[in-house]
Amino acid sequence: MPPILSTYRLQLHAGFPLVRARELVPYLHRLGITHIHCSPILQARRGSTHGYDVADPTRLNTELGSEEDLAGLAADLKARDMGLVLDIVPNHMAASSENPAWEDVLMHGPASAYARWFDVEWRATERELRFRVMLPVLGDQRTRVLQRNEISVGAHDGQVRVQYYEHSFPLDPSTLPPVLERAFSHCDRLLPDDEFCRILRQITDRLRRLPRRSNRRPAAIARRREIAAAELSRLRELCQTVPEIAEAVGIAAEEFGSGRNGPMRLRRLLDSQVYRLVYWRRAARELNYRRFFDVNDLIALHMEDPQVFTATHSLILEWKHRGWIDGFRIDHPDGLLDPREYFQRLADAAFGPSEGRPPIFVEKILSPAEWPRRDWPVAGTTGYDFLNQTEGLFISPDGYAAIEQEYRRIIRQPLEFSAIARLAKRRVLESALSAGVRRLAERLLKLSAITKAVPAIKVHALAVAIVETIASLPVYRTYVDSTTPVARGEDRKLLEAALSDARQRGRAQADALDLLAAALLGTEEALRDPEVEGVRLRFVQRFQQVSGPATAKGIEDTAFYSYAPLLSRNEVGGGPDTDLARAVADFHAANCRRATEWPGTMLAATTHDTKRTADVRSRLDVLSELPAEWAHAVESWRRINLAHKHELNGQRAPDPNTVYHVLQAIVGVWPRSTQVASGAVRPDEDCVAALRERLVQYSLKAAREAKVKTSWTDPDQEFEAALQHYVESVLTPELSSEFLADLSNFVRRIGRHGMWNALSRALLHLTSPGVPDLYQGDELWNFALVDPDNRRPVQYDVRARLLEVVEAGPTEDDERRDWLTDLVAQVEDGRLKLHLIRTVLHLRRHDPQLFLTGSYTPLNAEGPSGHQVIGFARQQNGQRAIVLAPRLLASRLSDPDKRPTSSEIWEGTYLPLPPLARPLWRK
């Protein structure tokens, strides 16, 4: 298996299938990539653009191609000593009619062969949901939906289903006889010969005698499934071969909902099903299955069950053992009940006993100062920790402080980010995730009844204690599990600190917090009672499954959009309140630790989930070096664009915070064009029109995620209309010529500084301890915002053409110096970035051990500009490389066209080398 030295992320979908990935193999090899890192390829819902909504884990996604295509891709990669890292989704599946396992559960409930797959609370306390599953798909209360005849029953090819707009649901086979019985009268009319009607009666009688789905005896469950499968198959065959029977069943189905007694028949039929169709707004507080975050149609799995693991991983493990797959990226492992156990099971099944850490990369979002657990059998994370540590290198601490102060003045909000994050987590826990919190509280109440530790406490009080503790937890989750059931070490410190903080805030009852603390922290005495300990441990594990989504939704998808002094700091896993004065020291410390403990971890700069690409963030970082200029520009642009606001409820919309956010987004992606029009640097009209559409889409998404003026669940149409009008107007040349001229000049002022930042970041990304992961298209300039903006088609023909130009560069020193000077002078065309990436990737392939296992030594430049250099040495078996990258140069380069190699910056600055590094160096 070739060593994983670098990966290149590809987003596969129907418009970019496996054959397109295969076509890119020669290009990526020439670039220097060793492994393709592709999005999930198991069967997803039709039209999925990402693959995370897996509908059937037992087959390859047909929209991506065939197994022959996958085998061909693997063969092409192996022929070049390359490989494939596959993204897999163990936490959830699509709750969709395209998912055969979910369909079976909706037919048989707890008696389904797949009931153990899905994380459904079958014994919910609500009578309405006991041994049933809530499906929050209706656009209104069910009574009103039925009154409007929006739910119907239909039949096609012998399959009778409930229909609600685009949604379709199966019937419990034991509830099908009332429909078939109504078909008999139509059969008598359509078929004078009743031979086929007798077969229909036989099917009906056998289905009527099916064991109840609540019968939990294994023999009864097996008999129910066997008979149901056989009779439903007979019914389909009968309807397909006898059109009159199909017509009779279809007419009978339509009579459920129509006619004098139709609505009553339909209600009875719906009430007898495994599922309960309800108004979608009920999901937040009443849902009885675990979701992926707050997405109703992504249902969580019981991946801790060995049988579920085997059933859902058999195909990808087969591909691994065929030699088609070299490593795995694990999506959202914090959603799993026991992540460590899952990692171990996957490592054993895929790689067997082996020395070192297997090539498994986990999408673990680490909070600042947090690290993966040492006992996890994985290579490391997907690299958001590195991304954020690198970001801080290019932000001026003093400049950021000035920007934050001005930002708070503009929005008239004195709260610090930590307070806003806590409020956002609390809001999410009390709304979108409140069903999970309530069920946690019910579990805690059950534990209290067993232990009789404290007087009776109401569920609401326990829920408040849970909310306050999670809101104070500084990490996504802890990792108490069956091997360490009592919280110890880091987990105990984190939980004790969160509980203490919750007490100090005084929102939760003391006795409720006492009970919660006893459950979360555990005691050695509790271990002596297996019944108590089992209930307690399951509560803690469920608590951990709730805290992760609360942090992700509360911080990543709320606070990061509502608190926006400098958007480049608001990235997944980031901390806008981390100490920037320690950025260099923290970067070196983290790299030293990665070199010794996690040398194979993945390093990210841009991913499919980042809110802004690295190039956008690199440009926005420049604002921290020019805070006064940025403040002046914002004040001027707010004044110029005031006419584009609307009056709503006595206030102008959009509000100052939204405007400030939008202006940063515009600056981040606005092209640094070289075309001059009317005395200003400005991109062409087609480019402006495309940007206008992209920024309108982004601005609406950002406002909804912020959940201040509008939201996904309660969109304020008037505010959103005002916001859309504002963005469209400020980006329309005929309406905003003054703003666009000033904007273009401002971007020209900072644009190249952002590119120098991006080039420095790319160098650090490719040479730091770990495996650099490049996002599709990032080898050239890529100014994009959060999805779907960052998933637009990549122009690989342009990249391949420029790669040929870079490959053909001269090798003689004098000619090469002139050629490199030209690349720097024309940095906007992307050749310099491509050349840098290609050069270092090929260096990694030439000296793999230097970068895979080489030591890491921080280097500190000295002299007037020493603080504007980040440097380190990599060494392994006599091979050495010194890495130097400039930073924070904008304040020193008043002329935007001046190069970072200017002697006026570096005069008197030098780099002391360590004693062991005295060979003849080449640059």
Side-chain angles (χ1 to χ4, degrees), residues 388-448:
N388 286 288
Q389 290 153 2
T390 308
E391 198 70 51
L393 299 175
F394 302 98
I395 301 174
S396 164
D398 293 339
Y400 177 77
I403 285 177
E404 189 173 43
Q405 183 178 3
E406 177 66 10
Y407 168 74
R408 291 176 180 172
R409 183 193 68 81
I410 290 173
I411 68 169
R412 299 178 182 178
Q413 174 61 273
L415 290 180
E416 296 181 349
F417 176 75
S418 58
I420 290 174
R422 186 181 299 106
L423 289 170
K425 288 176 69 174
R426 182 183 294 132
R427 180 188 301 174
V428 166
L429 287 162
E430 292 175 343
S431 56
L433 302 182
S434 63
V437 171
R438 182 168 64 84
R439 299 199 185 281
L440 266 181
E442 291 170 352
R443 285 178 178 270
L444 188 55
L445 190 63
K446 178 181 178 181
L447 179 63
S448 173

Side-chain angles (χ1 to χ4, degrees), residues 752-753 755-757 759-760 763 816-827 832 835-836 865 868-869 884-890 892-909 923:
R752 280 202 167 183
H753 300 312
M755 290 176 174
W756 308 139
N757 281 349
L759 292 170
S760 291
L763 179 61
R816 188 166 182 79
R817 186 178 296 108
D818 293 340
W819 180 72
L820 290 173
T821 300
D822 180 62
L823 294 190
V824 174
Q826 304 297 327
V827 65
L832 181 59
H835 166 68
L836 170 66
S865 301
Q868 293 177 287
V869 177
L884 296 175
R887 68 187 193 104
L888 304 177
L889 299 181
R892 300 287 298 276
L893 295 173
S894 56
D895 182 352
D897 293 325
K898 189 169 287 187
R899 301 168 190 172
T901 53
S902 174
S903 59
E904 69 180 66
I905 301 176
W906 306 114
E907 185 174 357
T909 301
K923 64 177 180 178

Side-chain angles (χ1 to χ4, degrees), residues 508-524:
Q509 291 180 199
D511 53 357
L513 284 169
D514 290 340
L515 180 58
L516 178 60
L520 291 177
L521 300 176
T523 61
E524 296 295 341

